[in-house]
């Protein structure tokens, strides 16, 4: 693994970690909260013999800079951060985007922006539905049961809107223990809990839930749905993007919210198959060498 740093449009430094083969097709992985790039370690190890895997620490996490206040975590800035990474690691070729949890929720903005869509050859979303798509689907008819279940599992998002309390909970280890008990996180993997990350929710959740008409995406998209996910309701994850993604594949997998850590081999196999199906001929030769 090699580590470099990218400067964002507002002057912060993001830590960018590279695994695998430098000459192979590029996968860029975006982690969620409360993780760091280490959530991808197992998957990067599985994919490294066929692909170049880039995993960066999002602002507020890992080795990247940690600004305070919600304004620094607004969706527009998160998208700009992703583009800064793309400009550094693959300025002229589209990448295959892989994202989990809030990393996925924030990535929907980039893949559904018409001017940015050509930067992505494919998108794999795990446990992180678009809030705009989810909001529209949950408000539809016949979804009462799924709506109630998702509201109950998303209570923590409402709590994160409160001042001070979430930061105190993070420092006291409450978020870590909840992730282990409810979400199935492996405590031995070193959860990268940080109080800064709650500002992602403060800056974006309400704004995106009540946004204007969601944008469609032309980027080929694979949605992996863990059957036992305690935070992202499988019916919502499976159905919310339908009608908004022109080239959509939905696959259920066994496991909970952190299946990316618990079963990296299964997730890596799904990702590799989808990426290889969306490579140009030259890229397919590189991936199989």
């Amino acid at each position: 693994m090699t580590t470099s740093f990218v400067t964002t449009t507002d002057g912060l430094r993001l830590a960018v970690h590279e695994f695998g083969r430098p000459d192979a097709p590029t996968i860029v992985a975006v982690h969620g909260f409360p993780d760091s790039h280490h959530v991808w370690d197992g998957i990067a190890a599985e994919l490294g013999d066929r692909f170049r895997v880039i995993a960066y620490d999002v602002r507020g996490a890992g080795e990247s800079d940690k600004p305070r206040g919600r304004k620094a975590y607004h969706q527009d800035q998160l998208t700009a951060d992703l583009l800064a990474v793309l400009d550094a690691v693959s300025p002229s070729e589209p990448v295959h985007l892989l994202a989990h949890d809030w990393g996925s929720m924030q990535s929907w903005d980039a893949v559904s922006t018409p001017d940015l869509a050509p930067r992505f050859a494919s998108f794999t979303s795990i446990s992180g539905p678009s809030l705009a798509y989810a909001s529209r689907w949950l408000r539809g008819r016949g979804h009462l049961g799924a709506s109630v279940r998702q509201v109950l599992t998303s209570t923590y998002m409402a709590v994160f809107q409160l001042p001070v309390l979430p930061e105190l909970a993070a420092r006291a280890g409450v978020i870590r223990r909840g992730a282990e008990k409810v979400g199935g996180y492996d405590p031995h993997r070193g959860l990268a809990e940080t109080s800064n990350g709650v500002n992602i929710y403060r800056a974006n959740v309400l704004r995106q839930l009540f946004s204007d008409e969601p944008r469609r995406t032309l980027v080929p998209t694979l949605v992996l749905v863990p059957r036992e996910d305690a935070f992202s309701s499988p019916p919502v994850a499976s159905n919310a993007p339908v009608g908004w993604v022109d080239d959509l594949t939905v696959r259920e997998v066994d496991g909970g919210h952190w299946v990316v850590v618990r079963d990296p081999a299964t997730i890596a196999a799904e990702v590799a198959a989808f990426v290889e199906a969306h490579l140009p001929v030259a890229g397919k030769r590189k991936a199989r060498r």
Side-chain angles (χ1 to χ4, degrees):
M1 181 189 78
T2 61
T3 300
S4 59
F5 289 87
V6 168
T7 301
T8 66
T9 55
D10 59 347
L12 300 184
R13 294 205 319 160
L14 302 180
V16 180
H17 311 277
E18 182 170 340
F19 309 79
R21 291 172 42 195
D23 64 333
T26 300
I27 297 173
V28 173
V30 190
H31 70 82
F33 175 83
D35 294 306
S36 72
H37 78 277
H38 286 298
V39 79
W40 300 114
D41 285 353
I43 290 175
E46 294 282 343
L47 295 175
D49 63 337
R50 287 173 287 174
F51 301 101
R52 176 190 184 211
V53 181
I54 306 294
Y56 70 98
D57 290 315
V58 304
R59 57 177 54 215
E63 298 171 43
S64 293
D65 287 345
K66 301 171 178 61
R68 296 184 178 182
R70 71 178 66 190
K71 287 185 178 179
Y73 295 87
H74 189 274
Q75 178 63 63
D76 290 345
Q77 186 60 61
L78 300 178
T79 298
D81 289 354
L82 172 59
L83 294 179
V85 173
L86 298 189
D87 288 343
V89 303
S90 189
S92 59
E93 296 291 333
V95 305
H96 300 271
L97 188 62
L98 168 63
H100 174 252
D101 185 78
W102 187 266
S104 180
M105 286 190 277
Q106 76 176 62
S107 294
W108 285 102
D109 180 72
V111 300
S112 65
T113 299
D115 291 345
L116 304 183
R119 302 295 301 268
F120 307 102
S122 72
F123 173 39
T124 299
S125 168
I126 309 167
S127 297
S130 159
L131 287 175
Y133 296 168
S135 176
R136 282 304 179 99
W137 187 80
L138 288 168
R139 284 181 281 170
R141 294 182 178 181
H143 305 150
L144 179 60
S147 299
V148 171
R149 286 192 295 273
Q150 184 61 65
V151 168
L152 292 175
T153 59
S154 301
T155 303
Y156 70 96
M157 291 190 184
V159 174
F160 284 175
Q161 305 304 312
L162 301 174
V164 182
L165 182 61
E167 285 85 349
L168 294 177
R171 295 181 187 122
V174 174
I175 294 175
R176 174 182 56 79
R177 291 193 293 273
E180 293 169 11
K181 184 175 181 180
V182 180
Y185 195 90
D186 182 353
H188 301 294
R189 298 293 298 186
L191 192 67
E193 185 173 309
T194 168
S195 58
N196 296 295
V198 299
N199 281 309
I200 292 178
Y201 293 84
R202 288 183 178 138
N204 298 294
V205 169
L206 296 179
R207 183 189 302 266
Q208 293 187 30
L209 281 175
F210 301 102
S211 64
D212 294 331
E213 186 77 3
R215 299 190 302 260
R216 303 176 63 84
T217 180
L218 300 176
V219 177
T221 299
L222 169 65
V223 174
L224 293 179
V225 183
R227 293 186 177 94
E228 294 82 40
D229 199 323
F231 297 116
S232 176
S233 168
V236 177
S238 298
N239 292 291
V242 174
W244 299 104
V245 182
D246 284 9
D247 185 350
L248 175 66
T249 302
V250 177
R251 291 181 59 83
E252 291 190 354
V253 294
D254 290 330
H257 188 74
W258 274 282
V259 66
V260 293
V261 173
R262 294 286 190 173
D263 191 1
T266 294
I267 300 303
E270 294 281 0
V271 172
F274 191 71
V275 167
E276 288 177 344
H278 294 88
L279 290 175
V281 174
K284 291 180 181 179
R285 292 196 189 108
K286 287 183 179 181
R288 292 172 181 171
R289 276 191 317 200

